[in-house]
Amino acid sequence: MLRPAALLAGILLVHGCAAASPAEIAGPFRGSAAAYPAHHARYGDVVLSAARRHAIPPALMLAIIRAESNFNPRAVSHKGAVGLMQLMPATARWMAPGVSRDELFDPAVNVEIGARYLRYLANRYHGDARKILIAWNAGPGRLDRGHIPKETKVFVERVRRHYQLYARS
């Protein structure tokens, strides 16, 4: 069983860690796009491009998208997170000053900012995948204070399961 801490092993560019290998980056897109459900394949190029730019495994990004929005680019959470990766507008503006809430419904914009934020979290938490996913879901402040909501623990496990599926595709 893959532990959440192993999700990002070997992919970081900072703190003495190596970048993702070409096989990791291309992993979920081996073979035909027809092997993936249409909604996964529809965003494959967007995810792969952002993943390469920010040295994040596409399988991880796909797992987060599936857990957060189930590939619905128009998704809005009860807390106000929007788009495929369920970005909070304030976080998105911090990562990409000037971006509007409406722009976050554009899959390319949402995934790019999401990948940028994942890279920030990966650097901040030295590649610890569990911490990265907790901070993604609950926020870095909650993680740093040691307050991890039950729903976040469920989220981390859901992403781990989805990641296992995408990583071996």
Side-chain angles (χ1 to χ4, degrees):
M1 174 180 268
L2 182 65
R3 293 184 1 225
L7 290 176
L8 295 179
I11 68 152
L12 299 179
L13 294 171
V14 297
H15 306 294
C17 298
S21 72
E24 284 178 299
I25 289 178
F29 302 100
R30 287 189 298 263
S32 165
Y36 300 95
H39 57 278
H40 299 182
R42 183 178 321 136
Y43 304 114
D45 290 341
V46 170
V47 170
L48 184 58
S49 179
R52 284 181 175 156
R53 267 192 303 284
H54 299 285
I56 301 293
L60 178 63
M61 293 181 62
L62 289 168
I64 290 171
I65 291 169
R66 184 165 177 195
E68 290 283 21
S69 70
N70 199 28
F71 293 90
N72 177 0
R74 303 295 305 166
V76 179
S77 77
H78 67 281
K79 292 188 178 186
V82 298
L84 287 173
M85 295 192 78
Q86 290 292 279
L87 299 172
M88 293 300 288
T91 301
R93 283 191 301 276
W94 179 59
M95 287 283 105
V99 72
S100 72
R101 181 181 183 275
D102 288 342
E103 288 175 297
L104 295 176
F105 291 105
D106 177 332
V109 171
N110 190 282
V111 169
E112 173 62 27
I113 295 170
R116 192 177 303 167
Y117 187 52
L118 276 173
R119 167 54 44 208
Y120 164 78
L121 294 173
N123 292 348
R124 179 174 175 162
Y125 295 107
H126 309 286
D128 184 323
R130 181 179 169 275
K131 288 181 178 179
I132 293 164
L133 292 173
I134 290 168
W136 175 274
N137 186 262
R142 280 186 168 173
L143 172 60
D144 294 346
R145 289 187 304 274
H147 181 260
I148 303 168
K150 182 179 178 182
E151 69 185 48
T152 296
K153 293 174 184 176
V154 171
F155 169 81
V156 170
E157 177 57 25
R158 192 170 50 230
V159 170
R160 185 195 63 77
R161 283 193 324 268
H162 295 322
Y163 175 83
Q164 286 178 321
L165 293 172
Y166 289 117
R168 67 175 168 229
S169 295

